[in-house]
Amino acid sequence: MRRVLVGLLTLLLAGCAAPIAPADSALSLGSTASAAVAAQVRTAKIASIRTTDATKGVITVVGTLTPAPVAGTRIPLHQWIPSLKRWQEVAHGYASGSSVTITTVQPGSIRTYRIAVGAQAPYAAVVSPMISFKHYVWRGMFKKGLVAAGGAGQPQFTVVPPNEGPRRAEADLLANQGGYVWGEVDSTGCRYVRNWLGNLTDGLVRVSLHNGTTAITSIRMQQETETWLNYDISGVARLRLQVADIRSGYGPYVSIDSLLLCTN
């Protein structure tokens, strides 16, 4: 009798232990669920960043947002502030389709930027890859003062004071007959100089630019004339501007209005 019961139990258990199909396995079910709830991904990217007005210091940033957020979504532009060791919003724009344009006014600088998009279901918040940008802005040549000045024949290199010339760009250069006068500025971080020259001398003078003591370009000016002396000064750390008498009755006298294109 015991043998008969054991046999019946064996048959019943064998019937209940039929193999489970792979599609119904726990592993397969988990994979299917994960695929169904996979997180949606949005990307943000700075497509271009450039200086659009070097006089006012305007930077224009164009970003791409994929997929496009809701029209009118506020998109901040962040700038990394090294002294504070943190990101700071400096401007913002509003999404239009998959694009956004942001403008900001900044002093000359070399800074790192990014854009960001807030969370919008089913997308999480996202920030763009960082971009380092050199922002060149025009500033007065004498904004940081003269490094040195000199010459021969009682030279006078007189920068117009801030209350009369707040741009710090104007100066008068004088010397005695047969003399010359020069002044130097720190031009590190600058790549171009633009000089307006007005010759008030009663004769002929030479105006020149130097990399330290090495002349790099010059121009002759006739009595009571105006002209420009512009030059690429990339790599010049100490820019010298000099006026020398060639032929006059009282000595050289030149007024200047000078600007540097710099990142500082």
Side-chain angles (χ1 to χ4, degrees):
M1 184 66 179
R2 181 179 296 177
R3 290 181 178 179
V4 172
L5 290 173
V6 171
L8 288 172
L9 284 171
T10 302
L11 289 172
L12 287 171
L13 290 171
C16 292
I20 298 173
D24 295 330
S25 70
L27 179 61
S28 180
L29 287 172
S31 298
T32 303
S34 297
V37 297
Q40 299 292 319
V41 177
R42 169 175 280 139
T43 61
K45 179 183 178 182
I46 294 178
S48 70
I49 179 169
R50 59 196 180 95
T51 301
T52 49
D53 189 329
T55 299
K56 296 179 179 178
V58 179
I59 296 175
T60 298
V61 176
V62 176
T64 56
L65 315 164
T66 309
V70 175
T73 296
R74 187 180 186 278
I75 309 297
L77 174 67
H78 296 156
Q79 183 188 81
W80 178 253
I81 310 298
S83 60
L84 302 176
K85 293 182 172 57
R86 65 178 176 83
W87 291 98
Q88 177 176 295
E89 180 177 331
V90 293
H92 64 270
Y94 297 95
S96 176
S98 60
S99 180
V100 63
T101 299
I102 306 171
T103 60
T104 179
V105 176
Q106 297 290 316
S109 57
I110 303 176
R111 290 289 175 86
T112 300
Y113 295 86
R114 71 182 189 185
I115 57 174
V117 188
Q120 288 183 354
Y123 303 104
V126 65
V127 296
S128 71
M130 301 175 295
I131 287 184
S132 180
F133 177 61
K134 292 183 178 181
H135 180 43
Y136 286 91
V137 177
W138 289 108
R139 65 168 172 83
M141 177 182 281
F142 311 109
K143 180 181 178 180
K144 298 187 176 183
L146 284 172
V147 174
Q154 294 187 334
Q156 300 176 54
F157 196 115
T158 307
V159 178
V160 175
N163 61 323
E164 298 179 29
R167 294 183 304 123
R168 310 298 289 146
E170 301 158 273
D172 293 317
L173 286 70
L174 300 87
N176 290 341
Q177 182 182 27
Y180 66 96
V181 56
W182 57 264
E184 283 185 356
V185 296
D186 182 351
S187 55
T188 304
C190 305
R191 70 180 188 186
Y192 205 80
V193 63
R194 187 170 68 192
N195 301 283
W196 173 86
L197 309 171
N199 182 20
L200 304 175
T201 311
D202 62 339
L204 182 66
V205 299
R206 177 184 293 106
V207 183
S208 55
L209 296 175
H210 300 245
N211 181 0
T213 58
T214 304
I216 53 178
T217 188
S218 66
I219 189 171
R220 288 190 172 200
M221 294 187 69
Q222 298 291 336
Q223 178 177 340
E224 298 181 354
T225 58
E226 300 177 4
T227 192
W228 290 89
L229 181 58
N230 306 330
Y231 206 74
D232 185 334
I233 57 169
S234 300
V236 176
R238 286 176 71 103
L239 179 66
R240 175 181 292 192
L241 190 149
Q242 179 171 294
V243 172
D245 187 18
I246 295 178
R247 184 178 62 254
S248 72
Y250 301 101
Y253 179 9
V254 175
S255 288
I256 65 171
D257 191 318
S258 301
L259 299 174
L260 296 172
L261 187 63
C262 308
T263 58
N264 54 28

